Amino acid sequence: MKVDIWSDVRCPFCYIGKRKFEAALQQFEHKDQVEIEWHSFELDPNAETIVGANAVDYLANRYGRSREWAEEMHQNVTQTAAEVGLDFHLDISVVVNSFDAHRLIQLAKTEGLGDQIEECLFDAYFTKGKDISNHTTLIEIGTSIGMDQLTIETMLKSADFTDEVRYDEQTAQNIGVRGVPFFVFDQKVAVSGAQPPETFLGAMKQAWEIKK
C-alpha cells in the first residue's frame, strides 16, 4: 500500500499527525507492506525568515488577533503535542520560510531517507527551536541521518529540486488539498488533518480492502 502525505515542517499538526498515523500503522496487520512518501506543501510560500522575531507576536499579527489569543493557541498546541509524546517549545520557534527545507526533503527522498529527514526537521523546528531555513542548520540535519555534506551544500547553492517541490504543491492543488497534513491511501482513501489513530487505521483497512 502506498501512503502519500502532504506536509509542511512548519506545521505543528503535521508533526502531531505523523505521530498519530505512526500509532495507527503499528496496529495495521499489513504494516510491512506500506510505503510512505512525503510531499511538499508550504503553508505560507511568501513567508520571510525573521531571526529573533517573537513567534507569539508573529502569530497574533498574522491573524489580526490579540497576543493573549496567540499565547493560548500555543499552549493548546503544546498540550496536544504532549498527548502524543512530543515536547514542543513554540516560545523559541523561529519564523522561517520552509522552501529550502522542502528541497532538502526532496533530496533525501532520492536516497530513501524521506521519513528520517521529516522527523529530524520537525524535531529541530518544534522542539529545539532551530532555524530550518539556515543552510548550515540544514546541512547539520541532513548529515545527521547519513546524507553527504557536499551533496547537500551543492543542492542548496543551486535551484535543484525546486521543480519537485512545485510539482508536489501543484498536485495538492489539483486534488483539492486546502490544508495539511493530508494523507492519501493507495490513491483511494483520503484523510485530512491530525486525526485520531483509529481514523487512520480505518482508512488503511478500507484502502486495503479496495485493493483486494
Side-chain angles (χ1 to χ4, degrees):
M1 179 190 296
K2 175 77 177 295
V3 182
D4 295 284
I5 310 172
W6 276 265
S7 164
D8 190 352
V9 285
R10 285 185 60 214
C11 164
F13 291 103
C14 290
Y15 199 7
I16 294 166
K18 183 176 187 291
R19 280 292 182 273
K20 292 184 176 182
F21 167 70
E22 289 167 345
L25 186 59
Q26 289 305 308
Q27 302 175 54
F28 186 52
E29 61 178 319
H30 307 290
K31 63 183 178 183
D32 294 337
Q33 299 178 60
V34 173
E35 174 192 355
I36 300 167
E37 181 173 358
W38 292 87
H39 297 280
S40 299
F41 188 102
E42 295 173 273
L43 288 174
D44 185 1
N46 299 315
E48 295 181 5
T49 296
I50 313 173
V51 178
N54 184 282
V56 172
D57 290 336
Y58 174 80
L59 183 65
N61 292 335
R62 183 181 178 193
Y63 291 99
R65 305 292 293 270
S66 68
R67 200 174 194 282
E68 290 71 24
W69 172 84
E71 288 176 340
E72 184 177 353
M73 289 292 290
H74 274 189
Q75 291 169 2
N76 291 343
V77 171
T78 299
Q79 178 58 42
T80 301
E83 291 170 1
V84 293
L86 297 173
D87 184 22
F88 277 15
H89 292 280
L90 299 177
D91 55 317
I92 60 170
S93 62
V94 183
V95 178
V96 298
N97 181 288
S98 61
F99 181 69
D100 281 342
H102 281 292
R103 292 201 298 132
L104 178 62
I105 292 166
Q106 296 289 344
L107 172 61
K109 283 165 57 175
T110 68
E111 301 178 20
L113 296 169
D115 200 66
Q116 292 92 323
I117 198 68
E118 286 279 345
E119 180 66 31
C120 287
L121 284 166
F122 277 135
D123 178 68
Y125 188 70
F126 289 108
T127 298
K128 298 184 173 70
K130 298 281 189 179
D131 175 1
I132 58 169
S133 70
N134 180 276
H135 286 188
T136 300
T137 299
L138 292 176
I139 291 166
E140 289 174 354
I141 293 171
T143 56
S144 75
I145 61 168
M147 297 176 70
D148 178 70
Q149 179 173 332
L150 181 58
T151 301
I152 300 171
E153 289 175 350
T154 302
M155 181 275 292
L156 291 172
K157 290 176 182 176
S158 72
D160 290 355
F161 295 99
T162 293
D163 289 346
E164 286 82 351
V165 173
R166 298 304 181 213
Y167 178 82
D168 277 356
E169 294 175 335
Q170 185 60 53
T171 301
Q173 185 174 344
N174 292 345
I175 66 176
V177 178
R178 295 293 175 263
V180 286
F182 192 87
F183 301 75
V184 178
F185 300 88
D186 253 0
Q187 299 185 346
K188 298 178 177 69
V189 181
V191 174
S192 178
Q195 301 295 334
E198 52 266 29
T199 300
F200 288 120
L201 183 59
M204 282 187 277
K205 289 180 176 179
Q206 182 183 351
W208 190 270
E209 287 302 313
I210 295 172
K211 185 185 189 73
K212 290 166 60 179

